[in-house]
């Protein structure tokens, strides 16, 4: 079996990225399943991946099986299963160092900064398997409320938004705990998405916002290589967020250009693009499952 | 290909004869080398008789004098299958002559372990072309149900579940999963089966190329509806929060 082990099904990007990866594999005839505690399935985004209970599945694994995981804490207990291990690297916290240093573990990375991190720390080459934005975010280019701003409070400092001085008529909405379809709906009616989390590794919400046609204003992130200041978004220090947003709202031409460029950036992360990448990796046997 | 069709049936003998006839034509068109049918007579008032059925197929009748659940009837029929492929087929499904060809094409194209078929009502609207799951009270539902089949895309497609009215798989997979769960009195045993198969990594797909007729409900009684409610409760007790959501409540019911 090919099993992606996840620690839960709460609203965390890593959970969604894991399920999306399994969906992509299954679309390519790789019969992967997801294992969660108690066999719980997520209810906040769309997927068709089968879910099984870790408690019953993990003891039955053997060397003929493959386990994928993204939480470094799972490393030791999964090693005990005897299954072949693949680490789906979704962050570059030093906690992952023992995992990526383990030669028995194949390392898959989702973005360039993670690939560099693995190489710098271990000298190993990881396999870039990409990352994708849900289809729900694309093609929603209808009417937007001018001057409306959305941000994800869970992912960053709410005080940054509270302290910001914004022009009159600007409306700010925090998104937290919403299912993906609602987030897509909100983003599609919003002018500007502000990414306020300074320690974001990749920043999938900013990419989702681009897909939904928002203008993205982001604080600098660790791994968000897709954020190009002045090209497809505005990248700015937190202390300058308010003034840059004000400038943006006063310049419709700049906003329109960033919005268009953002959509193009997001298109490169469609699920079909990731599937094409995985198809190539499988066909060229760079990505191999099984013993 | 060595195919055994399991057809649970109660009464409706003329319909059963037509079902067998359509199966024979569809199997021949698909080039199925060996096909036989096991008719599970689920306590028909007048027991079926091979002579009266008069099928071109090799037919075996398994007779129950007291009615069993759909799951029990199917499992008893499948217990007589030694290998090859097994097709669970309702007696009120009349296969399109190209149905099996289409299903085998979908199986090959999508690498499916379990394959279903597109079924329509006599008015040409969709009875089944795959099962989606929403996160609300509806749970599993037939996608595009009652929409005109002409308006629904024809590409073969993967699903988490397909209907038990037409369910093709290798007998080994059915055996490995212990068959349908007989605790379901009526309905949802097929969805339960598909979800369990998915947990083993099985790929499930539905062929969409041609329409076969399904007179669903022609023999449904009040009792059947009551049993279906019991099955639904059992299904949700077991699976609520444990299937992924790939449909929406906005889809047509």
């Amino acid at each position: 079996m090919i099993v992606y082990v996840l620690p839960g099904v709460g609203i965390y990007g890593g959970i969604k990225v894991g399920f999306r990866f399994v969906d992509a594999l299954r679309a390519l005839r790789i019969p992967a399943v997801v294992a969660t505690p108690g066999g719980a399935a997520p209810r906040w985004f769309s997927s068709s991946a089968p879910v099984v209970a870790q408690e019953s599945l993990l003891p039955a694994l053997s060397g003929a099986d493959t386990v994928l995981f993204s939480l470094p804490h799972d490393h030791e207990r999964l090693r005990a299963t005897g299954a072949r291990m693949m680490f789906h690297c979704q962050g570059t916290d030093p906690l992952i160092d023992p995992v990526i240093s383990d030669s028995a573990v194949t390392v898959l990375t989702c973005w360039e900064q993670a690939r560099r991190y693995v190489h710098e720390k271990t000298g190993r080459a990881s396999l870039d398997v990409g990352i994708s934005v849900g289809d729900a975010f694309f093609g929603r280019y209808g009417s937007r409320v001018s001057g409306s701003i959305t941000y994800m409070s869970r992912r960053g400092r709410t005080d940054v938004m509270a302290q910001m001085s914004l022009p009159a008529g600007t409306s700010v909405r925090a998104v937290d705990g919403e299912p993906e379809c609602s987030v897509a709906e909100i983003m599609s009616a919003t002018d500007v998405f502000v990414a306020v989390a300074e320690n974001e590794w990749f920043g999938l919400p900013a990419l989702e916002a681009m897909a939904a046609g928002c203008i993205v204003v982001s604080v600098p992130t660790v791994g968000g290589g897709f954020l190009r200041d002045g090209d497809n978004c505005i990248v700015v220090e937190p202390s300058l967020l308010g003034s840059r947003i004000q400038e943006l709202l006063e310049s419709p031409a700049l906003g329109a250009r960033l919005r268009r460029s953002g959509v193009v950036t997001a298109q490169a992360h469609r699920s079909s693009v990731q599937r094409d990448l995985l198809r190539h990796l499988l066909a060229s046997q760079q990505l191999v499952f099984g013993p | 290909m060595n195919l055994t069709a399991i057809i649970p049936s109660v009464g409706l003998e003329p319909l059963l004869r037509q079902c067998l006839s359509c199966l024979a034509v569809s199997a021949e068109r698909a080039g199925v080398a060996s096909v036989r049918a096991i008719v599970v007579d689920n306590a028909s008032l007048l027991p079926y008789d091979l002579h009266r059925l008069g099928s071109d197929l090799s037919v075996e009748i398994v007779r129950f004098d007291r009615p069993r659940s759909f799951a029990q009837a199917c499992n008893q029929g499948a217990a007589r299958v030694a290998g090859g492929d097994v097709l669970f087929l309702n007696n009120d499904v009349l296969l399109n002559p190209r149905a099996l060809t289409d299903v085998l094409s979908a199986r090959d194209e999508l690498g499916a372990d379990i394959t279903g078929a597109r079924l329509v009502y006599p008015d040409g609207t969709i009875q089944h072309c795959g099962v989606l799951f929403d996160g609300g009270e509806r749970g599993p539902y037939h996608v595009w149900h009652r929409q005109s089949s002409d308006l629904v895309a024809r590409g073969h497609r993967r699903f988490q579940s397909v209907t038990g009215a037409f369910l093709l798989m290798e007998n080994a997979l059915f055996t490995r999963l212990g068959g349908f769960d007989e605790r379901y009195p009526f309905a949802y045993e097929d969805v339960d089966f598909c979800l369990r198969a998915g947990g083993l990594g099985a790929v499930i797909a539905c062929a969409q190329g041609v329409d076969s007729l399904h007179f669903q409900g022609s023999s449904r009684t009040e009792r059947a509806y009551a049993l279906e409610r019991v099955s639904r409760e059992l299904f949700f007790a077991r699976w609520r929060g444990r299937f992924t959501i790939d449909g929406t409540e906005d889809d047509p019911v």
Side-chain angles (χ1 to χ4, degrees):
Chain A
M1 288 193 79
I2 300 160
V3 185
Y4 198 126
V5 175
L6 287 167
V9 291
I11 304 184
Y12 299 98
I15 303 298
K16 186 161 67 173
V17 171
F19 270 89
R20 289 255 189 279
F21 189 60
V22 169
D23 279 333
L25 291 177
R26 291 180 61 80
L28 297 169
R29 301 171 70 154
I30 302 296
V33 302
V34 177
T36 64
R43 302 182 68 78
W44 58 281
F45 60 87
S46 176
S47 168
S48 57
V51 184
V52 293
Q54 286 181 12
E55 297 81 350
S56 56
L57 184 70
L58 296 188
L61 294 179
S62 69
D65 302 305
T66 300
V67 285
L68 293 119
F69 65 106
S70 59
L71 189 71
H73 305 79
D74 284 332
H75 182 205
E76 288 306 320
R77 73 177 180 123
L78 293 180
R79 187 210 298 272
T81 65
R84 182 179 171 208
M85 290 190 288
M86 287 187 172
F87 180 59
H88 192 207
C89 178
Q90 295 186 29
T92 51
D93 188 290
L95 277 172
I96 73 169
D97 293 356
V99 183
I100 60 178
S101 301
D102 182 348
S103 60
V105 176
T106 302
V107 181
L108 312 177
T109 46
C110 304
W111 57 84
E112 175 59 19
Q113 175 267 342
R115 189 196 64 75
R116 282 201 313 269
Y117 182 92
V118 171
H119 189 257
E120 285 164 10
K121 287 285 178 183
T122 69
R124 299 178 66 187
S126 60
L127 196 58
D128 178 11
V129 293
I131 189 168
S132 65
V133 172
D135 291 335
F137 290 92
F138 289 94
R140 294 172 166 270
Y141 312 129
S143 61
R144 291 171 195 278
V145 180
S146 181
S148 56
I149 295 174
T150 291
Y151 72 105
M152 286 194 177
S153 52
R154 185 177 62 78
R155 292 181 166 273
R157 298 164 49 191
T158 53
D159 58 315
V160 170
M161 297 301 294
Q163 291 165 7
M164 224 185 289
S165 168
L166 293 169
T170 305
S171 63
V172 178
R173 176 171 182 176
V175 176
D176 192 7
E178 303 266 2
E180 184 183 73
C181 54
S182 299
V183 174
E185 194 78 32
I186 292 165
M187 285 178 168
S188 70
T190 300
D191 216 5
V192 178
F193 177 81
V194 185
V196 292
E198 289 178 78
N199 296 317
E200 191 78 83
W201 277 304
F202 181 72
L204 189 59
L207 196 57
E208 290 171 340
M210 286 180 174
C214 292
I215 306 163
V216 171
V217 179
S218 177
V219 299
T221 62
V222 177
F226 66 92
L227 295 168
R228 299 186 299 274
D229 183 34
D231 174 21
N232 60 7
C233 68
I234 290 173
V235 180
V236 60
E237 293 300 326
S239 61
L240 298 174
L241 266 174
S243 57
R244 290 299 299 276
I245 290 173
Q246 186 155 357
E247 286 172 27
L248 177 66
L249 294 177
E250 290 168 354
S251 174
L254 171 63
R257 184 169 60 77
L258 296 178
R259 195 191 310 278
R260 278 197 302 273
S261 186
V263 170
V264 171
T265 300
Q267 292 280 1
H269 292 83
R270 289 206 76 137
S271 55
S272 55
V273 175
Q274 188 183 25
R275 278 200 302 275
D276 285 345
L277 170 63
L278 293 175
R279 185 180 291 114
H280 165 72
L281 295 175
L282 289 163
S284 59
Q285 298 200 319
Q286 295 177 72
L287 180 58
V288 179
F289 293 97
Chain B
M1 182 185 190
N2 182 1
L3 177 69
T4 305
I6 311 290
I7 308 175
S9 187
V10 187
L12 302 173
E13 197 171 298
L15 190 58
L16 175 60
R17 275 200 297 272
Q18 197 61 35
C19 171
L20 288 166
S21 170
C22 290
L23 171 64
V25 171
S26 195
E28 186 184 359
R29 288 273 188 102
V32 177
S34 163
V35 56
R36 68 174 181 133
I38 296 176
V39 173
V40 182
D41 181 349
N42 205 357
S44 301
L45 283 177
L46 177 63
Y48 295 137
D49 175 275
L50 282 178
H51 179 69
R52 286 203 316 275
L53 287 179
S55 173
D56 294 337
L57 295 173
S58 162
V59 178
E60 178 183 352
I61 295 172
V62 178
R63 163 77 186 178
F64 296 131
D65 290 332
R66 291 184 179 178
R68 310 284 179 98
S69 69
F70 176 80
Q72 288 170 326
C74 287
N75 287 350
Q76 289 293 321
R80 293 171 180 260
V81 182
D85 289 285
V86 62
L87 167 65
F88 294 95
L89 184 66
N90 281 14
N91 66 346
D92 58 353
V93 170
L94 304 185
L95 292 180
N96 183 298
R98 289 184 286 130
L100 275 172
T101 306
D102 189 46
V103 164
L104 295 177
S105 147
R107 175 157 96 168
D108 183 51
E109 179 183 320
L110 299 178
D113 300 291
I114 296 175
T115 316
R118 182 185 287 211
L119 306 175
V120 298
Y121 292 107
D123 66 359
T125 61
I126 295 285
Q127 191 277 324
H128 168 269
C129 65
V131 175
L132 292 181
F133 294 76
D134 82 30
E137 282 307 304
R138 186 159 46 146
Y141 66 96
H142 284 201
V143 66
W144 298 117
H145 187 241
R146 281 292 184 193
Q147 304 299 303
S148 170
S149 180
D150 291 340
L151 302 179
V152 177
R154 288 286 180 185
H156 303 321
R157 184 177 162 187
R158 292 182 189 81
F159 287 94
Q160 294 191 69
S161 178
V162 288
T163 181
F166 180 108
L167 203 56
L168 177 72
M169 74 192 86
E170 286 187 4
N171 186 55
L173 176 60
F174 189 74
T175 304
R176 184 178 172 198
L177 281 161
F180 293 114
D181 188 327
E182 297 184 359
R183 280 169 287 190
Y184 289 92
F186 181 70
Y188 290 91
E189 65 288 292
D190 48 359
V191 184
D192 177 281
F193 181 88
C194 286
L195 287 176
R196 287 189 286 126
L200 293 178
V203 173
I204 299 159
C206 187
Q208 309 284 355
V210 298
D211 297 345
S212 295
L213 271 178
H214 187 189
F215 299 93
Q216 193 213 21
S218 57
S219 59
R220 247 181 213 199
T221 60
E222 278 303 314
R223 182 168 179 276
Y225 285 110
L227 293 175
E228 184 173 353
R229 283 192 289 275
V230 175
S231 273
R232 181 177 169 80
E233 284 172 17
L234 175 60
F235 175 82
F236 274 105
R238 180 176 294 175
W239 289 103
R240 188 185 294 278
R242 296 185 60 218
F243 52 77
T244 47
I245 297 164
D246 53 10
T248 78
E249 293 183 60
D250 296 332
D251 280 345
V253 178

